[in-house]
Amino acid sequence: PIAYLTGNHDGWAGPELSNYVMRMAQRVGVPFMGLGGELFLTVGAVQYKLALWHRYPGASALNKGNNQRRVRIDHNGADVVALAHLHNAYVEFSQTGEVNHVALRCGAYKVTDEHSRDAAGNVQADLRMPMVILNPLAKDMLYYEDFRKGVSELLRLRREWCDHASFAVSAERLKRMVGV
């Protein structure tokens, strides 16, 4: 994980559960962003700007990417805009001037998802989770509407990039993050 956000449903069981996401972020040593914000992420030699929110104003039934577009405008052209809340997966590539953007929204983590049905009209839960692969050598992004389709490509690219001096990964940090 690179950061944790709290969802707007995380406080339903009182203050103890409300702080759970923050404690998870502290445990693995990543930023806790509350309901959202901007995160600058350096991958290899390249810095990416991510705008990450659980929910953002401007959701539209006619234009699925409207609130992602508003995030890009309000937060001065993020490379990646990631939202959640509606529980239906969405991914889009766009360009403003010479700046490329990837906008995405995650699906549901639940097999039975009443919120997705009621808010987005999904008869069945949309279990897809979009994925963006950030190139460590040049500002370039690959995106997939479901991470399951992109994992093999990510592994292949990591094998190619692993020898590059600017893309070193600390094995100890990875072990701490996954609790090994």
Side-chain angles (χ1 to χ4, degrees):
I2 57 172
Y4 278 98
L5 284 80
T6 190
N8 60 347
H9 308 289
D10 287 340
W12 66 270
E16 183 62 27
L17 188 59
S18 296
N19 295 324
Y20 180 72
V21 177
M22 180 177 63
R23 289 193 315 270
M24 284 192 311
Q26 290 170 340
R27 180 176 179 186
V28 298
V30 299
F32 172 67
M33 300 178 65
L35 288 175
E38 295 176 5
L39 181 68
F40 290 88
L41 182 65
T42 301
V43 180
V46 183
Q47 185 177 68
Y48 291 91
K49 180 179 181 180
L50 286 65
L52 312 169
W53 295 87
H54 175 80
R55 181 177 186 216
Y56 204 84
S60 168
L62 297 175
N63 180 353
K64 289 183 179 184
N66 191 55
N67 49 355
Q68 283 90 342
R69 179 190 58 81
R70 288 184 60 176
V71 170
R72 264 198 336 269
I73 292 168
D74 293 349
H75 294 274
N76 201 22
D79 299 304
V80 178
V81 173
L83 303 176
H85 189 60
L86 295 178
H87 301 199
N88 62 321
Y90 168 81
V91 69
E92 172 186 64
F93 172 81
S94 62
Q95 191 175 41
T96 304
E98 294 182 15
V99 179
N100 294 328
H101 312 280
V102 175
L104 58 94
R105 181 176 42 245
C106 66
Y109 290 101
K110 302 181 274 183
V111 176
T112 302
D113 185 9
E114 294 84 7
H115 179 73
S116 177
R117 181 194 64 222
D118 298 342
N122 293 331
V123 176
Q124 292 183 321
D126 184 350
L127 302 176
R128 296 174 297 160
M129 295 295 154
M131 178 173 107
V132 178
I133 299 174
L134 305 172
N135 187 328
L137 308 176
K139 192 168 266 195
D140 188 27
M141 300 168 284
L142 295 174
Y143 58 94
Y144 298 87
E145 81 275 3
D146 191 351
F147 77 93
R148 293 166 190 92
K149 294 180 179 180
V151 168
S152 61
E153 180 68 4
L154 174 63
L155 294 174
R156 183 188 69 76
L157 288 169
R158 285 189 64 100
R159 281 191 301 273
E160 288 180 16
W161 292 333
C162 72
D163 294 331
H164 195 277
S166 67
F167 196 59
V169 176
S170 164
E172 289 307 312
R173 181 168 185 265
L174 289 174
K175 286 178 183 177
R176 281 194 312 273
M177 284 178 17
V178 296
V180 175

